[in-house]
């Protein structure tokens, strides 16, 4: 059986089509896709797929699509993108790009990791120099890792259950976080403040370069005994560029007080 007959059988004898979400602002992408599809058809000797571009037919640009989604679903639709693409910061609006990096800090860290792993000393040097020019802050970060529910609890008690006996420290529950600004100043000033605080607390200053070449200074006051055991808290001070807003998860204060009572 040749490929065409096999394709027709799988499709129930109907023509198979592909729908692309290219909007009216992306006409060149559709032209390029048609060109590649024509080459595939020529190689196969028949039309392998019928390409269609509904948004182009409607004449809808990106703003039209976003407005439609907003009106129908009440959602502000953001543009998808690859965080490690070198064009993400120049071919898309900067505010949108930075917003995504804030929303997905783990992906932003991967971008910096690539620069570090490549030992791009010049780029890292300029990055460090820019950081020196910015205002810095000392932040206090607190995290309370509650124990999660056992699988059998979900089956027996449904979506919600507050029984302590249904919790297991080997399962991750809800993580309650809080961040507060303790001190602001230049990079050297907040660094000195952190070192003085470490001396007063009789704690070491940890310096990590795992995230990026600039490194992070941190002083821990409460340490989780095991990263895979829940029902524990951690509390530390860290220096970083200023600008992070004070915030805490709803219910944080109560959970923190309960988990640290008597400690």
């Amino acid at each position: 059986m040749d490929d065409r007959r096999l394709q027709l059988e799988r499709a129930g004898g109907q023509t198979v089509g592909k729908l692309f979400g290219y909007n009216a602002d992306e006409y060149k992408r559709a032209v390029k896709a048609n060109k590649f599809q024509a080459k595939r058809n020529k190689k196969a000797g028949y039309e392998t797929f019928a390409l269609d571009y509904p948004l182009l037919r409607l004449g809808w640009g990106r703003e039209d699509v976003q407005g439609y989604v907003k009106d129908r679903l009440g959602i502000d639709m953001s543009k998808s993108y690859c965080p490690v693409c070198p064009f993400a910061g120049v071919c898309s609006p900067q505010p949108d790009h930075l917003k995504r990096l804030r929303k997905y800090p783990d992906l932003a860290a991967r971008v910096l990791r690539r620069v570090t792993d490549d030992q791009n000393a010049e780029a890292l040097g300029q990055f460090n120099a820019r950081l020196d020019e910015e205002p810095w802050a000392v932040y206090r970060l607190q995290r309370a890792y509650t124990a999660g529910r056992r699988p059998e609890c979900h089956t027996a008690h449904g979506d919600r259950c507050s029984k302590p006996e249904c919790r297991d420290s080997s399962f991750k529950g809800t993580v309650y976080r809080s961040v507060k600004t303790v001190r602001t100043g230049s990079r050297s000033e907040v660094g000195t403040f952190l070192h003085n605080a470490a001396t007063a607390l009789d704690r070491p200053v940890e310096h990590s370069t795992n995230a990026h070449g600039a490194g992070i200074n941190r002083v821990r006051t409460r340490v989780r005994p095991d990263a895979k055991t829940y029902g524990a808290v951690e509390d530390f001070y860290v220096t970083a560029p200023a600008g992070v807003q004070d915030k805490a998860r709803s219910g944080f204060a109560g959970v923190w007080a309960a988990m640290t009572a008597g400690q």
Side-chain angles (χ1 to χ4, degrees), residues 176 248-256:
Y176 292 82
R249 182 168 186 153
S250 177
F252 166 81
V255 172
W256 182 267

Side-chain angles (χ1 to χ4, degrees), residues 4-17 46-50:
R4 185 176 186 182
R5 288 182 59 191
L6 179 61
Q7 183 186 45
L8 288 172
E9 282 198 8
R10 289 176 175 174
Q14 302 179 56
T15 300
V16 178
Y46 61 93
E47 185 181 35
T48 56
F49 291 100

